[in-house]
Amino acid sequence: MKKVNVKRVEDLEEEEQSFPVSPTGQYFTSSVLSISVISVLESEIPIDDSCTMILLKDVFLPINPRFSSIMVRDKNGDKQWKKVEVKHKDHIIVPIFPEGKAKEFYDNCFNEYLTKIAMEQLPQSRPLWEIHIFKYPTTKSAGNLVFKLHHSLGDGFSLMGALLSCLQRADNPSLPLTFPAFNSNNSNLESDYKKRFCTNVVQKVSGVVNTLVDFGWSLLKSTNLEDERTPIRSGDEGVEFRPIDITTMEFSLDHLKQIKSNLKVTINDVICGVLFLGVRLYMEETRYEQKNAKSTALVLLNTRNIAGYKSVKEMLQPSNESKWGNRFAFLHVSVPKINKDEDSLTNPLGFVFKAQNVIQRKRNSAAVILTGKLLDTLQKYRGPEVSAKYIHNTLKNSSMTISNMIGPMEKMALANHPCKGLYFMVVGVPESLTITMMSYMGTLRVAVGTEKGPIDPQKLKCSIENAFDRIFKAAVPSASSKTPN
């Protein structure tokens, strides 16, 4: 007689209420990694939180079932998302500070508060997110709304799509938000590589050589090869558990586009050139003898096939190429050095071209794809903890991480609260320096997360701003000639 599998009603109900955690989600909730994303919305008007619970219940929670789920292990020991009843008040935090103080006082309060929540772990006993409402006016806003979301819920693309689902255009809520055009050359890392790899024999040979060199170097960087201890890298164990400072600065997208156009490079080349030069200027000023110390940046790449943000509903469809989840890869990039015969004062554009060359060469390589395959193999045969350890070492052995997101061109509003500014920071990373970028309303907002103590955040901020000024004046001389003395 043929055996028939019969499941109890309780088992079927439990299956309906649970679904597997992705491999990357398991890495980010392992014994060695617990990484979260903090997103800050700066309100143009004082925050009225009277409708918070309604928005939470009717808008935020329905976005994705993961926002109403916790991680549990099934009978086989595999991690699953399990739906639970959300106790809304446990996830909404409204800090209390003295009333009637100056905006500068609240600047300090807000910065310290961000440091505090960046260090705290999200409780595993409830869904992995929190919303913090800072209702005091700072020099930059009338109030701040802070979302803390665990990275296992999704990557920046997914989480930004979720956040935008809660927001509307401030001028006309019936119209959709629009975004700067994506560069089609960056649409899909794997498919783009395959097309380029088949172009001609020279590129094939170059691609194979670059792949072998880059994958070998990436393997060494993730195992034995560690960056030097420098003014931007303490190299201490457990750096991910130490307090951080978060500082921000703004750059005009129009100015970035002017540099891009005049130098015939990409926006990413310009941004990386500015950051690399800024970091070297900081190292030079802080510890001159280490201005050219070996330093590696991990540039995060989105590996989706995308031409813009998708709605959350679209991302959840199985056939969609821009699926919800964690879909990104690391690109190892050596921070260019200041040549002995080259003065960064007289030739700041050299850093833009160096950034262009190294990133272009890295893109003519399948090393990122092979690294992804390696992680899949480790996860399959040795488990997610081993893969997580590999990622931890990749981060720990490098000096900094750079990631960016594209935001809307129009002003947004949440529950009739116009959003004046927007930025994010990745926390819990075993590095002393993390740099994130977010475009919004024609401005690029750069956020810099630094380990408290070893790095002077204000000096680093000034160095990056100085680097931008030097590059802009060198690339757009007509603009600098118009500047009054």
Side-chain angles (χ1 to χ4, degrees), residues 151-194:
H151 222 318
S152 60
L153 296 170
D155 60 13
F157 182 86
S158 297
L159 298 178
M160 181 53 60
L163 186 59
L164 295 177
S165 297
C166 303
L167 298 163
Q168 298 174 316
R169 278 181 60 156
D171 59 345
N172 189 341
S174 64
L175 295 177
L177 293 165
T178 60
F179 300 83
F182 278 80
N183 187 340
S184 60
N185 292 333
N186 298 333
S187 60
N188 183 284
L189 190 65
E190 188 165 355
S191 63
D192 179 60
Y193 170 76
K194 288 177 180 177

Side-chain angles (χ1 to χ4, degrees), residues 425-436:
M425 178 53 58
V426 183
V427 298
V429 180
E431 287 180 315
S432 298
L433 175 60
T434 302
I435 300 176
T436 65

Side-chain angles (χ1 to χ4, degrees), residues 29-50:
T29 53
S30 66
S31 62
V32 293
L33 280 178
S34 183
I35 297 177
S36 297
V37 178
I38 291 178
S39 298
V40 180
L41 273 69
E42 297 172 331
S43 178
E44 208 169 69
I45 62 175
I47 296 178
D48 175 10
D49 60 352
S50 59

Side-chain angles (χ1 to χ4, degrees), residues 87 190 208 235 331 351 374 386 402 466:
K87 297 179 180 178
E190 188 165 355
V208 170
L331 191 69
F351 270 78
L374 174 62
V386 175
I402 301 174
N466 186 14

Side-chain angles (χ1 to χ4, degrees), residues 47-110:
I47 296 178
D48 175 10
D49 60 352
S50 59
C51 59
T52 302
M53 294 302 174
I54 296 174
L55 287 172
L56 194 63
K57 182 179 178 181
D58 298 340
V59 179
F60 182 75
L61 290 180
I63 287 174
N64 192 288
R66 300 185 192 193
F67 293 155
S68 304
S69 303
I70 62 172
M71 278 192 191
V72 297
R73 292 190 181 274
D74 62 15
K75 297 174 182 177
N76 298 320
D78 298 324
K79 287 185 176 180
Q80 300 276 329
W81 290 107
K82 180 181 178 181
K83 288 275 287 182
V84 296
E85 182 180 349
V86 179
K87 297 179 180 178
H88 304 134
K89 291 183 178 180
D90 290 344
H91 296 265
I92 304 297
I93 298 98
V94 183
I96 303 297
F97 294 97
E99 298 282 353
K101 299 292 185 178
K103 291 181 178 180
E104 290 77 12
F105 173 83
Y106 294 122
D107 279 344
N108 184 63
C109 291
F110 184 63

Side-chain angles (χ1 to χ4, degrees), residues 216-278:
W217 187 54
S218 175
L219 200 61
L220 286 172
K221 290 298 298 179
S222 298
T223 51
N224 300 318
L225 198 58
E226 190 173 346
D227 279 0
E228 298 177 43
R229 291 173 179 256
T230 66
I232 62 167
R233 180 178 184 272
S234 69
D236 294 337
E237 290 292 333
V239 66
E240 62 266 39
F241 304 114
R242 295 187 176 182
I244 65 169
D245 288 303
I246 299 176
T247 54
T248 68
M249 62 200 86
E250 298 179 356
F251 301 110
S252 165
L253 281 179
D254 286 339
H255 287 173
L256 288 168
K257 289 175 182 177
Q258 281 182 281
I259 300 171
K260 165 188 174 292
S261 178
N262 287 4
L263 300 185
K264 301 187 186 317
V265 296
T266 68
I267 288 287
N268 280 339
D269 295 335
V270 177
I271 294 170
C272 286
V274 169
L275 294 178
F276 291 157
L277 176 56

